[in-house]
Amino acid sequence: MAQGARRTFGQVVVVVVLAAATAAFLSVAAVRHGFFDLKVYYGALTWWTHDGGEIYDFLKPGTQYGFTYPPFAALVMLPMAYLPWSAAITVSVVATVVVSAVLIWWLLDPVARRVGWTRWFALAVALCLAAAYEPMRETVNFGQVNMLLLFLVAVDLLRLLPAGNRWAGVGIGLATAIKLTPGVFIVYMLVTGRWRAAVTALGATAGASLLAAALFPDASREFWTAALWNTDRVGELAFVSNQSLRGVVARLHPEHPSTLAWLALVLVTLVVWGWRSRAAVAAGDEATGLALTGAMMCLVSPVTWVHHLVWLIPALILLVDNGLAAPAGSRRRRVLLGAAIVGYGLLISRIVWAWEKDFTGVGGFLGSNTYVWISLALLLGLPIRRWATPQPAGPGPEPTPTGTDGVEPTAGRPAPVGSAVEPGGVAQLDQPDRVPPAVQRHPVDGLHAVG
């Protein structure tokens, strides 16, 4: 058997074994929620379209949970009301799997090319690991929309904005019209000076919301004047699944959580995020900007259920990316890869649920907020990187990532186009709506690609 065939056979065996191990792990660790949230959406839409009720008056029988998303989300989900329940489940699962695979591919493919991994093998391993990730399996088992929203944001930040596409911002705008929390990415574009994309996102949000208001005036009036402000519909803030700063404060004093303490923590978090996200964009590291903003959103949102932590996936992948970019055997590589392994290990473990009934004491405080500590660590410690410009053709050292101004070296992701690169230097920001290009070297084909 040729060497290449032996390698492929070995990789197939590894993937099969890993997939079987993942399935075995999920059979033990995954909680079956029976597509609870999807049932809420399905029930509300059926009540609205077939039974003549108001969508925001619907509560799932025996619970306090109802439809909490804006009217545009109801418009997007409306076809669900005309599908059998089994078909609605199928659409939800397939859509989540497809967009998750595409997003992971966008983040992982440049790493695989640089390191020299077989690309299908790298993706297959990553998808097995993603399936075991607690927020991902919770998203699937609840029938949630988290990955679809993350994908819309990533289309803008990883594809359209780096290319200078004039439609950049539409994905974020639509995601915000479906669920308000992705609106932090509009703030991200404002803070980092991408005014055109921010205006496009605001326009897309407003346009989608106005369309929904024109089609469903009663539902829109109900949402914006009443349902939006009814916090009883989202659940208990101190519940251990709420892995946000608000949840941390609420678990300290469940009866009377301090709003002032929460706001102070939010303010500090936003200051750190603004400083780091601006540094990421100045370095042309848009993927890290996405990751930092996702971590910030999980921290400052009043409610961040465990399934919302899929927004940490870009940060975890980039942590691995940074570790592999560090010199072999270096302390930096060991620290970054070790942090990625520990963080991922905790995020598949359901560790916070050990304190579901009692989160008192020092142990309860530290353990019940484990995922919050991981989000904070990623916000504070995820490296920001930039690439040096290519060297002239001919003999001599090949271009390598270089850190400048305290910014860590980048690790082979495609970077934005549309700004000038000074000879022998690093990309400089020259247009407010565009970020500097990074130069990517693909070791697989030996080519240098700008943007």
mmCIF file of all heavy atoms in Angstrom, residues 162-185:
data_model
loop_
_atom_site.group_PDB
_atom_site.id
_atom_site.type_symbol
_atom_site.label_atom_id
_atom_site.label_comp_id
_atom_site.label_asym_id
_atom_site.label_seq_id
_atom_site.Cartn_x
_atom_site.Cartn_y
_atom_site.Cartn_z
ATOM 1 N N PRO A 162 -14.129 41.699 5.217
ATOM 2 C CA PRO A 162 -12.733 41.633 4.762
ATOM 3 C C PRO A 162 -12.567 41.890 3.267
ATOM 4 O O PRO A 162 -11.546 42.407 2.829
ATOM 5 C CB PRO A 162 -12.297 40.209 5.130
ATOM 6 C CG PRO A 162 -13.181 39.834 6.258
ATOM 7 C CD PRO A 162 -14.499 40.478 5.953
ATOM 8 N N ALA A 163 -13.572 41.536 2.468
ATOM 9 C CA ALA A 163 -13.483 41.731 1.024
ATOM 10 C C ALA A 163 -13.906 43.136 0.604
ATOM 11 O O ALA A 163 -13.887 43.453 -0.586
ATOM 12 C CB ALA A 163 -14.352 40.696 0.303
ATOM 13 N N GLY A 164 -14.311 43.959 1.560
ATOM 14 C CA GLY A 164 -14.763 45.300 1.222
ATOM 15 C C GLY A 164 -16.103 45.307 0.522
ATOM 16 O O GLY A 164 -16.441 46.270 -0.177
ATOM 17 N N ASN A 165 -16.889 44.243 0.698
ATOM 18 C CA ASN A 165 -18.182 44.139 0.029
ATOM 19 C C ASN A 165 -19.159 45.156 0.592
ATOM 20 O O ASN A 165 -19.292 45.300 1.812
ATOM 21 C CB ASN A 165 -18.731 42.719 0.207
ATOM 22 C CG ASN A 165 -19.938 42.446 -0.656
ATOM 23 O OD1 ASN A 165 -20.977 43.059 -0.501
ATOM 24 N ND2 ASN A 165 -19.780 41.505 -1.582
ATOM 25 N N ARG A 166 -19.874 45.844 -0.266
ATOM 26 C CA ARG A 166 -20.765 46.912 0.183
ATOM 27 C C ARG A 166 -21.975 46.378 0.936
ATOM 28 O O ARG A 166 -22.684 47.153 1.604
ATOM 29 C CB ARG A 166 -21.231 47.753 -1.003
ATOM 30 C CG ARG A 166 -22.077 47.027 -2.033
ATOM 31 C CD ARG A 166 -22.262 47.865 -3.280
ATOM 32 N NE ARG A 166 -23.094 47.220 -4.284
ATOM 33 C CZ ARG A 166 -24.413 47.384 -4.383
ATOM 34 N NH1 ARG A 166 -25.031 48.183 -3.529
ATOM 35 N NH2 ARG A 166 -25.099 46.781 -5.315
ATOM 36 N N TRP A 167 -22.223 45.061 0.866
ATOM 37 C CA TRP A 167 -23.333 44.476 1.601
ATOM 38 C C TRP A 167 -22.930 44.043 3.008
ATOM 39 O O TRP A 167 -23.761 43.509 3.747
ATOM 40 C CB TRP A 167 -23.901 43.282 0.845
ATOM 41 C CG TRP A 167 -24.554 43.666 -0.453
ATOM 42 C CD1 TRP A 167 -24.034 43.525 -1.708
ATOM 43 C CD2 TRP A 167 -25.828 44.288 -0.610
ATOM 44 N NE1 TRP A 167 -24.906 44.008 -2.644
ATOM 45 C CE2 TRP A 167 -26.031 44.490 -2.012
ATOM 46 C CE3 TRP A 167 -26.830 44.698 0.270
ATOM 47 C CZ2 TRP A 167 -27.175 45.077 -2.502
ATOM 48 C CZ3 TRP A 167 -27.983 45.274 -0.233
ATOM 49 C CH2 TRP A 167 -28.149 45.462 -1.600
ATOM 50 N N ALA A 168 -21.673 44.252 3.370
ATOM 51 C CA ALA A 168 -21.224 43.880 4.711
ATOM 52 C C ALA A 168 -22.064 44.610 5.756
ATOM 53 O O ALA A 168 -22.219 45.834 5.701
ATOM 54 C CB ALA A 168 -19.750 44.232 4.892
ATOM 55 N N GLY A 169 -22.591 43.863 6.681
ATOM 56 C CA GLY A 169 -23.474 44.416 7.699
ATOM 57 C C GLY A 169 -24.880 43.860 7.614
ATOM 58 O O GLY A 169 -25.622 43.864 8.602
ATOM 59 N N VAL A 170 -25.256 43.360 6.434
ATOM 60 C CA VAL A 170 -26.610 42.837 6.266
ATOM 61 C C VAL A 170 -26.838 41.611 7.156
ATOM 62 O O VAL A 170 -27.891 41.476 7.789
ATOM 63 C CB VAL A 170 -26.884 42.493 4.789
ATOM 64 C CG1 VAL A 170 -28.188 41.714 4.645
ATOM 65 C CG2 VAL A 170 -26.944 43.765 3.952
ATOM 66 N N GLY A 171 -25.859 40.720 7.227
ATOM 67 C CA GLY A 171 -26.007 39.525 8.058
ATOM 68 C C GLY A 171 -26.214 39.877 9.520
ATOM 69 O O GLY A 171 -27.082 39.311 10.197
ATOM 70 N N ILE A 172 -25.405 40.805 10.022
ATOM 71 C CA ILE A 172 -25.549 41.240 11.417
ATOM 72 C C ILE A 172 -26.895 41.908 11.626
ATOM 73 O O ILE A 172 -27.566 41.700 12.647
ATOM 74 C CB ILE A 172 -24.397 42.193 11.792
ATOM 75 C CG1 ILE A 172 -23.078 41.415 11.827
ATOM 76 C CG2 ILE A 172 -24.659 42.881 13.128
ATOM 77 C CD1 ILE A 172 -21.858 42.285 11.994
ATOM 78 N N GLY A 173 -27.322 42.720 10.651
ATOM 79 C CA GLY A 173 -28.614 43.384 10.764
ATOM 80 C C GLY A 173 -29.767 42.395 10.824
ATOM 81 O O GLY A 173 -30.682 42.540 11.651
ATOM 82 N N LEU A 174 -29.740 41.361 9.971
ATOM 83 C CA LEU A 174 -30.799 40.360 9.984
ATOM 84 C C LEU A 174 -30.772 39.546 11.276
ATOM 85 O O LEU A 174 -31.830 39.230 11.845
ATOM 86 C CB LEU A 174 -30.665 39.438 8.773
ATOM 87 C CG LEU A 174 -30.905 40.092 7.413
ATOM 88 C CD1 LEU A 174 -30.672 39.079 6.289
ATOM 89 C CD2 LEU A 174 -32.314 40.676 7.319
ATOM 90 N N ALA A 175 -29.569 39.204 11.736
ATOM 91 C CA ALA A 175 -29.457 38.466 13.004
ATOM 92 C C ALA A 175 -30.043 39.277 14.154
ATOM 93 O O ALA A 175 -30.714 38.730 15.038
ATOM 94 C CB ALA A 175 -27.997 38.121 13.285
ATOM 95 N N THR A 176 -29.809 40.590 14.141
ATOM 96 C CA THR A 176 -30.333 41.454 15.194
ATOM 97 C C THR A 176 -31.847 41.572 15.119
ATOM 98 O O THR A 176 -32.533 41.661 16.145
ATOM 99 C CB THR A 176 -29.691 42.852 15.098
ATOM 100 O OG1 THR A 176 -28.262 42.713 15.152
ATOM 101 C CG2 THR A 176 -30.149 43.755 16.229
ATOM 102 N N ALA A 177 -32.393 41.562 13.909
ATOM 103 C CA ALA A 177 -33.843 41.617 13.747
ATOM 104 C C ALA A 177 -34.511 40.321 14.191
ATOM 105 O O ALA A 177 -35.682 40.318 14.588
ATOM 106 C CB ALA A 177 -34.200 41.925 12.298
ATOM 107 N N ILE A 178 -33.767 39.211 14.149
ATOM 108 C CA ILE A 178 -34.300 37.924 14.589
ATOM 109 C C ILE A 178 -34.218 37.792 16.105
ATOM 110 O O ILE A 178 -35.143 37.318 16.766
ATOM 111 C CB ILE A 178 -33.542 36.769 13.908
ATOM 112 C CG1 ILE A 178 -33.840 36.773 12.403
ATOM 113 C CG2 ILE A 178 -33.899 35.418 14.520
ATOM 114 C CD1 ILE A 178 -32.971 35.820 11.598
ATOM 115 N N LYS A 179 -33.093 38.227 16.662
ATOM 116 C CA LYS A 179 -32.879 38.179 18.107
ATOM 117 C C LYS A 179 -31.996 39.361 18.470
ATOM 118 O O LYS A 179 -30.946 39.570 17.849
ATOM 119 C CB LYS A 179 -32.216 36.853 18.500
ATOM 120 C CG LYS A 179 -32.099 36.637 19.992
ATOM 121 C CD LYS A 179 -31.532 35.254 20.287
ATOM 122 C CE LYS A 179 -31.448 34.999 21.782
ATOM 123 N NZ LYS A 179 -30.927 33.651 22.082
ATOM 124 N N LEU A 180 -32.335 40.117 19.469
ATOM 125 C CA LEU A 180 -31.707 41.430 19.682
ATOM 126 C C LEU A 180 -30.241 41.347 20.086
ATOM 127 O O LEU A 180 -29.471 42.272 19.800
ATOM 128 C CB LEU A 180 -32.494 42.207 20.741
ATOM 129 C CG LEU A 180 -33.951 42.513 20.381
ATOM 130 C CD1 LEU A 180 -34.618 43.277 21.516
ATOM 131 C CD2 LEU A 180 -34.040 43.292 19.078
ATOM 132 N N THR A 181 -29.816 40.267 20.748
ATOM 133 C CA THR A 181 -28.456 40.236 21.291
ATOM 134 C C THR A 181 -27.340 40.379 20.247
ATOM 135 O O THR A 181 -26.305 40.991 20.552
ATOM 136 C CB THR A 181 -28.225 38.953 22.111
ATOM 137 O OG1 THR A 181 -28.723 37.822 21.384
ATOM 138 C CG2 THR A 181 -28.944 39.037 23.445
ATOM 139 N N PRO A 182 -27.459 39.862 19.008
ATOM 140 C CA PRO A 182 -26.378 40.106 18.037
ATOM 141 C C PRO A 182 -26.193 41.573 17.692
ATOM 142 O O PRO A 182 -25.233 41.920 17.000
ATOM 143 C CB PRO A 182 -26.830 39.303 16.806
ATOM 144 C CG PRO A 182 -27.707 38.227 17.350
ATOM 145 C CD PRO A 182 -28.436 38.881 18.486
ATOM 146 N N GLY A 183 -27.072 42.444 18.180
ATOM 147 C CA GLY A 183 -26.877 43.876 17.978
ATOM 148 C C GLY A 183 -25.578 44.401 18.566
ATOM 149 O O GLY A 183 -25.120 45.480 18.176
ATOM 150 N N VAL A 184 -24.937 43.629 19.476
ATOM 151 C CA VAL A 184 -23.638 44.073 20.000
ATOM 152 C C VAL A 184 -22.605 44.150 18.877
ATOM 153 O O VAL A 184 -21.616 44.886 18.994
ATOM 154 C CB VAL A 184 -23.133 43.158 21.135
ATOM 155 C CG1 VAL A 184 -24.087 43.161 22.307
ATOM 156 C CG2 VAL A 184 -22.890 41.744 20.646
ATOM 157 N N PHE A 185 -22.820 43.402 17.794
ATOM 158 C CA PHE A 185 -21.857 43.460 16.688
ATOM 159 C C PHE A 185 -22.008 44.749 15.881
ATOM 160 O O PHE A 185 -21.054 45.162 15.211
ATOM 161 C CB PHE A 185 -22.002 42.221 15.802
ATOM 162 C CG PHE A 185 -21.442 40.987 16.436
ATOM 163 C CD1 PHE A 185 -22.246 40.161 17.202
ATOM 164 C CD2 PHE A 185 -20.103 40.666 16.294
ATOM 165 C CE1 PHE A 185 -21.719 39.032 17.818
ATOM 166 C CE2 PHE A 185 -19.566 39.545 16.898
ATOM 167 C CZ PHE A 185 -20.381 38.722 17.668
#
